[in-house]
Amino acid sequence: MRLILLGAPGSGKGTQSQKLVERYAVPQISTGDLLRDARERGTPLGLKAQAAMDAGKLVEDAIVLGIIRERLAQPDTAQGFILDGFPRNQAQADALGAMLMEIGQPIDAVVLMQVDGDVLFRRLTGRRSCKECGRIFNIYTAPPGTAPHCDRCNDRPVLVQRPDDREEVIDNRLKVYAKQTQPLIEYYEKLGLLRRVDAEGGVDEVFARIERVLSAPNKHSRIS
Ligand code: AMP
């Protein structure tokens, strides 16, 4: 299964990717996670990406494409992958199409996670993660105590907020999404790959909707 999850920041791409990883046994490739990891390790690439990330802007295509190319070359992607947060503009979508054609691995579907603007804002401002185990919480909708037991943090999560989940940055991220990423909806629709999913509601409820659209046959051609 080779999938792209498309949707605004806060639409639940990361959460649903984790469920898709379990269901299809293919890795999640999140450019956001890969960039955050590079930044935390202080690599030259991570340091280069930092300013754009902190401002809620897109990191240069050359950096992101380099990361993706390297990741797709790893053997665990042979059976497929879930792309989360990539591509985010037309240049990235074009480069991805070319890369996949080279390795003969066309995308099977693009799932568009649709969430109302107010809900996105609440999800992003409320999002926290545990510093120890990485579990994601939401101080409004899924506060500590509602997640399954965790041995690593002993159910005493140390909550931290992503710097780009601060209100002033969120606004910018949503604008960048509208301007640069949203046009990809039409692009993938024309290729017959787009599957729209109502991504509001509980995690399992949304996952069931994703499974439903993925089991429906493709309408047109595949991207290659
Ligand atoms: P995310 O975790 O997907 O919300 O990504 C966090 C930040 O990483 C974004 O706001 C961007 O600054 C950067 N980023 C992630 N993916 C991409 C991408 N495909 N292209 C450019 N920048 C990206």
Side-chain angles (χ1 to χ4, degrees):
M1 173 63 78
R2 290 177 292 273
L3 269 188
I4 294 175
L5 286 192
L6 193 61
S11 59
K13 301 187 297 296
T15 305
Q16 294 299 330
S17 292
Q18 282 167 14
K19 294 194 70 84
L20 287 160
V21 163
E22 276 171 36
R23 168 76 177 75
Y24 295 104
V26 292
Q28 168 196 17
I29 302 181
S30 156
T31 40
D33 285 349
L34 292 170
L35 288 164
R36 273 186 290 279
D37 182 57
R39 195 179 59 183
E40 268 151 41
R41 285 185 292 116
T43 67
L45 185 149
L47 295 174
K48 236 177 146 183
Q50 181 158 1
M53 292 177 81
D54 288 348
K57 294 183 188 157
L58 293 190
V59 171
E60 273 173 59
D61 288 343
I63 294 182
V64 176
L65 290 172
I67 287 182
I68 282 286
R69 190 177 290 279
E70 215 170 85
R71 186 64 188 87
L72 287 177
Q74 288 174 21
D76 65 335
T77 63
Q79 302 310 314
F81 44 78
I82 318 278
L83 288 175
D84 160 11
F86 177 89
R88 258 176 152 101
N89 61 24
Q90 189 62 52
Q92 293 182 6
D94 291 342
L96 175 68
M99 254 184 246
L100 296 183
M101 184 154 72
E102 227 171 80
I103 55 175
Q105 293 204 351
I107 288 291
D108 294 303
V110 178
V111 174
L112 175 64
M113 310 274 290
Q114 296 181 296
V115 176
D116 196 66
D118 292 348
V119 178
L120 287 178
F121 201 77
R122 210 171 137 78
R123 281 190 185 175
L124 290 167
T125 51
R127 178 161 63 183
R128 301 288 185 277
S129 60
C130 173
K131 211 173 157 197
E132 292 302 318
C133 70
R135 281 186 302 172
I136 306 281
F137 298 91
N138 187 293
I139 53 171
Y140 305 122
T141 55
T146 54
H149 172 73
C150 171
D151 289 329
R152 259 177 77 195
C153 72
N154 241 339
D155 289 336
R156 286 202 198 91
V158 185
L159 295 187
V160 289
Q161 185 179 36
R162 269 171 54 170
D164 57 348
D165 277 346
R166 283 170 296 128
E167 267 187 56
E168 58 276 21
V169 186
I170 288 172
D171 207 35
N172 204 23
R173 288 166 69 202
L174 293 176
K175 280 190 191 133
V176 167
Y177 173 76
K179 190 156 178 236
Q180 306 206 43
T181 311
Q182 239 169 359
L184 297 183
I185 297 174
E186 199 185 332
Y187 171 72
Y188 285 120
E189 186 140 61
K190 281 191 179 145
L191 290 170
L193 290 169
L194 196 79
R195 312 291 171 86
R196 292 171 191 270
V197 167
D198 170 4
E200 289 187 28
V203 173
D204 292 336
E205 205 180 336
V206 174
F207 185 62
R209 291 181 200 135
I210 294 177
E211 287 209 289
R212 215 172 304 136
V213 295
L214 289 179
S215 59
N218 259 1
K219 274 182 274 172
H220 306 297
S221 60
R222 291 165 141 202
I223 187 172
S224 57

